[in-house]
Amino acid sequence: MIFESKSAETKAILETAHRMCAAARTAPKARGVDLIHTCVITGDDILRVADEMDRLGKEHDVAIFFRDAKDVRVSEAIVSIGTLYGQRGMKFCQYCGFANCAETAKAGAICAYDTVDLGIAVGSAASLAADSRVDNRILYTAGKAILSLGIMDPDVRIAFGIPLSTTGKSPYFDRS
């Protein structure tokens, strides 16, 4: 059997994307509370995400959405990693600005550990892609579009998208 470049590279991207989801899942979490959600986006759904990025850029007058949408359009997959909001039941922490988790919940505020855990999960996934020699870039703009489209669990509050590519030159760097 012979695998030509394109099919072999596509297979590598999909295998890497799935391993990135595993890396996000197994990344350390504060107090062992796992609120991370992941998904892999391919095919026409990538174009839906890029179109939504353009729409959000226009609606909010934020040019970075247009630039990032161009990068997403030339990607073969997007790994999305997001988090729910929740507290850890701590009596003393104050990293979120409130006295304890009960006060944070009462105020409807965000637990600092939610975003910390998300950052660790995203970093772990992006580093796995880099170790696999798959070009990637962490985009909040893609995450906003993914949430806007309802692609992830509706309780996910913060998400990032990590587009993936295996071309001769990374489309995610040296951008205009």
Side-chain angles (χ1 to χ4, degrees), residues 78-127:
I78 304 169
V79 173
S80 183
I81 304 171
T83 188
L84 309 175
Y85 287 164
Q87 285 76 41
R88 306 306 188 272
M90 298 169 74
K91 292 181 181 178
F92 174 73
C93 166
Q94 300 178 335
Y95 286 150
C96 65
F98 292 90
N100 54 46
C101 290
E103 293 296 317
T104 302
K106 183 178 174 183
I110 301 170
C111 174
Y113 292 113
D114 295 339
T115 54
V116 169
D117 287 352
L118 178 59
I120 293 167
V122 167
S124 182
S127 108

Side-chain angles (χ1 to χ4, degrees), residues 52-164:
E52 182 66 4
M53 291 167 73
D54 284 336
R55 187 191 72 73
L56 289 169
K58 184 176 181 181
E59 178 181 329
H60 298 283
D61 192 29
V62 180
I64 194 171
F65 278 82
F66 303 117
R67 182 200 66 190
D68 290 353
K70 288 180 188 174
D71 293 342
V72 165
R73 279 191 174 83
V74 298
S75 301
E76 289 195 58
I78 304 169
V79 173
S80 183
I81 304 171
T83 188
L84 309 175
Y85 287 164
Q87 285 76 41
R88 306 306 188 272
M90 298 169 74
K91 292 181 181 178
F92 174 73
C93 166
Q94 300 178 335
Y95 286 150
C96 65
F98 292 90
N100 54 46
C101 290
E103 293 296 317
T104 302
K106 183 178 174 183
I110 301 170
C111 174
Y113 292 113
D114 295 339
T115 54
V116 169
D117 287 352
L118 178 59
I120 293 167
V122 167
S124 182
S127 108
L128 188 144
D131 289 347
S132 299
R133 305 305 178 254
V134 173
D135 292 328
N136 69 94
R137 185 149 187 145
I138 300 167
L139 302 177
Y140 95 92
T141 52
K144 293 293 277 186
I146 289 162
L147 292 180
S148 177
L149 290 169
I151 290 174
M152 296 189 83
D153 181 305
D155 292 329
V156 171
R157 299 288 185 236
I158 304 170
F160 292 92
I162 308 173
L164 304 175

